[in-house]
Amino acid sequence: RMVGKDSMSQSSRSLKDIQGKDYYWIVLRKNIKFAAREYALGYLRENPDDLEYLAHVGHLFVDSGPTATHKTHKFAALLLQKAADFGFEGHSKFWRELATSHMRTYLSAGLTGEREHLTYACAAWKKALTFLENTVNSNCWVSYAMSHSYLGDFKSASSALSQLISNFPNLKNISN
């Protein structure tokens, strides 16, 4: 019986070690992400014409994880929008992240949300939905409809929702 208690205490000790390592990794990952953003911003100051890198830095802010704030959403939206404004062609993920970051910026600001972000989100979703990868994703259509709905453009929102219903007939909770 004594061996059973020792093995139990060893397993609880190893569980604590694992949890400690997980916590360490979370802290380390957070610091790496911050350091990567700081390095990227420094590089961007030296090479302002590198649109690909500008989009990459915007992606670093989009992918902030659970520590994302209104500020990180806004940085992502502004950096990605600047890349788009300067002619960056982008790919499906770029346009989806641009639209999503503008939407998150608006929503995370609460009552002080700037409607301009909704306008940019709608335009980015329109471009994003020209890519097949986004067109076949029902979440993209829902977000596109939400952007128009929050903007007050209910005709475009209902058009997007009708596309959603006709293209995804087996989608669950469509009424919600």
Side-chain angles (χ1 to χ4, degrees):
R1 299 271 178 212
M2 205 60 136
V3 174
K5 287 183 182 179
D6 285 340
S7 65
M8 190 167 126
S9 64
Q10 281 182 336
S11 66
S12 65
R13 232 181 285 134
S14 65
L15 181 61
K16 288 180 184 177
D17 290 342
I18 291 171
Q19 288 172 341
K21 288 179 185 175
D22 286 346
Y23 176 73
Y24 177 74
W25 175 245
I26 290 170
V27 171
L28 183 64
R29 185 176 66 193
K30 180 180 173 185
N31 291 338
I32 289 171
K33 186 69 81 168
F34 178 76
R37 285 196 297 246
E38 289 302 312
Y39 170 78
L41 288 173
Y43 175 83
L44 205 52
R45 285 186 196 105
E46 295 172 7
N47 304 300
D49 296 334
D50 190 352
L51 296 180
E52 181 81 34
Y53 201 76
L54 181 62
H56 173 69
V57 175
H59 172 72
L60 289 175
F61 280 97
V62 168
D63 190 26
S64 294
T67 60
T69 62
H70 172 69
K71 192 174 182 180
T72 57
H73 294 314
K74 191 167 186 172
F75 282 158
L78 294 176
L79 289 168
L80 293 171
Q81 188 64 51
K82 183 153 298 271
D85 290 346
F86 283 126
F88 182 66
E89 292 296 319
H91 39 75
S92 63
K93 185 177 179 182
F94 169 78
W95 293 102
R96 187 174 61 243
E97 285 181 344
L98 175 61
T100 303
S101 62
H102 276 298
M103 190 68 164
R104 287 178 181 166
T105 301
Y106 175 75
L107 293 174
S108 65
L111 295 174
T112 61
E114 301 168 8
R115 292 180 53 84
E116 182 177 8
H117 288 288
L118 291 175
T119 305
Y120 284 124
C122 290
W125 276 122
K126 188 173 184 176
K127 178 73 174 177
L129 288 170
T130 62
F131 293 91
L132 182 61
E133 179 183 335
N134 296 330
T135 304
V136 298
N137 186 343
S138 61
N139 292 329
C140 291
W141 286 101
V142 170
S143 297
Y144 180 59
M146 283 177 43
S147 299
H148 281 291
S149 176
Y150 288 145
L151 195 56
D153 184 6
F154 298 111
K155 184 176 181 181
S156 295
S158 66
S159 174
L161 290 174
S162 68
Q163 283 286 339
L164 182 69
I165 291 169
S166 65
N167 293 331
F168 302 95
N170 295 331
L171 193 62
K172 294 181 180 179
N173 298 328
I174 197 73
S175 62
N176 295 336

